Amino acid sequence: MIPLPKATLLLIEPDTRVQQNLAVVLRLAGYEPLFARDAQEGFAALQTYRVDLIVLAYRLPEMNGMQFYETFLMDKKYRESKSLPVIVLTSEPIPLNEKWRFFRLGAKALIIKGTEVDDMIRIIDREIEGYRQTAPASPATPWRAARPEYLSYLDKQIVLRTLMENAAKKPKERPA
């Protein structure tokens, strides 16, 4: 018997290779991924399918991820979906003010392409679980309640990853 997927994820990612790789990884982790190549396909998918989490690429063809996210939050068509967790996916450095802007709007995480698969799945699992626990709660409960702790954790992860990437790029010195 084939088990039901844990959740349905919408990945808005223009790169077909990244889509294919993530499809394999996410299906092995028990998720059902839906893909959109650009913002318009992403909006159409949100109107058509029930989605539990959005993975949003920072760079999209017609509009960037920030513009997509702001439109998603402001447009009345997506009123019922506004509480969906959103994870931003990037392959390039995002300016600090943009990162904080994503987090202020409600993004749950920022994942750098190339992050360990286990780490990415752990983040998705955590956000799906949190979303399911809070979804039936009253809308009067502010989403910011546990945010400072989470952000400090994210900051540590971002700094740690940056240090590890920089250490990997430095040429190794040989003893004389």
Side-chain angles (χ1 to χ4, degrees), residues 32 34 40 51 63 103 139 141 145 154 164 170 174:
E32 180 60 35
L34 302 172
Q40 295 310 315
V51 174
M63 63 172 61
F103 290 129
T141 307
L154 273 178
M164 290 171 62
K170 290 182 183 176
R174 291 187 171 172

Side-chain angles (χ1 to χ4, degrees), residues 24 35 58:
V24 171
F35 293 94
Y58 179 63

Side-chain angles (χ1 to χ4, degrees), residues 43-69:
F43 287 130
L46 285 169
Q47 290 180 311
T48 308
Y49 302 101
R50 188 186 147 288
V51 174
D52 299 299
L53 182 133
I54 299 171
V55 178
L56 174 63
Y58 179 63
R59 292 279 179 225
L60 296 173
E62 295 127 18
M63 63 172 61
N64 67 33
M66 179 61 71
Q67 292 167 325
F68 174 89
Y69 196 30

Side-chain angles (χ1 to χ4, degrees), residues 118-131:
D118 292 339
D119 292 339
M120 183 177 70
I121 296 300
R122 213 172 295 121
I123 290 169
I124 291 171
D125 286 344
R126 181 183 64 221
E127 294 308 326
I128 291 291
E129 183 64 30
Y131 173 66

Side-chain angles (χ1 to χ4, degrees), residues 118-174:
D118 292 339
D119 292 339
M120 183 177 70
I121 296 300
R122 213 172 295 121
I123 290 169
I124 291 171
D125 286 344
R126 181 183 64 221
E127 294 308 326
I128 291 291
E129 183 64 30
Y131 173 66
R132 290 202 171 138
Q133 289 177 359
T134 59
S138 75
T141 307
W143 60 269
R144 300 171 197 229
R147 203 144 188 259
E149 260 181 69
Y150 182 71
L151 285 178
S152 71
Y153 169 78
L154 273 178
D155 289 337
K156 290 175 189 172
Q157 293 301 310
I158 290 169
V159 169
L160 179 63
R161 290 214 187 285
T162 303
L163 291 172
M164 290 171 62
E165 287 172 4
N166 289 340
K169 290 178 186 175
K170 290 182 183 176
K172 307 248 187 236
E173 294 182 21
R174 291 187 171 172

Side-chain angles (χ1 to χ4, degrees), residues 8-79:
T8 301
L9 311 179
L10 173 60
L11 288 92
I12 305 171
E13 167 61 53
D15 188 342
T16 307
R17 284 180 298 154
V18 173
Q19 287 181 1
Q20 291 169 346
N21 291 338
L22 287 175
V24 171
V25 168
L26 293 171
R27 284 192 178 110
L28 287 173
Y31 290 105
E32 180 60 35
L34 302 172
F35 293 94
R37 290 178 300 197
D38 57 32
Q40 295 310 315
E41 284 185 14
F43 287 130
L46 285 169
Q47 290 180 311
T48 308
Y49 302 101
R50 188 186 147 288
V51 174
D52 299 299
L53 182 133
I54 299 171
V55 178
L56 174 63
Y58 179 63
R59 292 279 179 225
L60 296 173
E62 295 127 18
M63 63 172 61
N64 67 33
M66 179 61 71
Q67 292 167 325
F68 174 89
Y69 196 30
E70 287 175 332
T71 304
F72 166 71
L73 292 173
M74 300 301 168
D75 196 325
K76 292 177 183 174
K77 289 186 273 190
Y78 310 106
R79 183 176 308 161

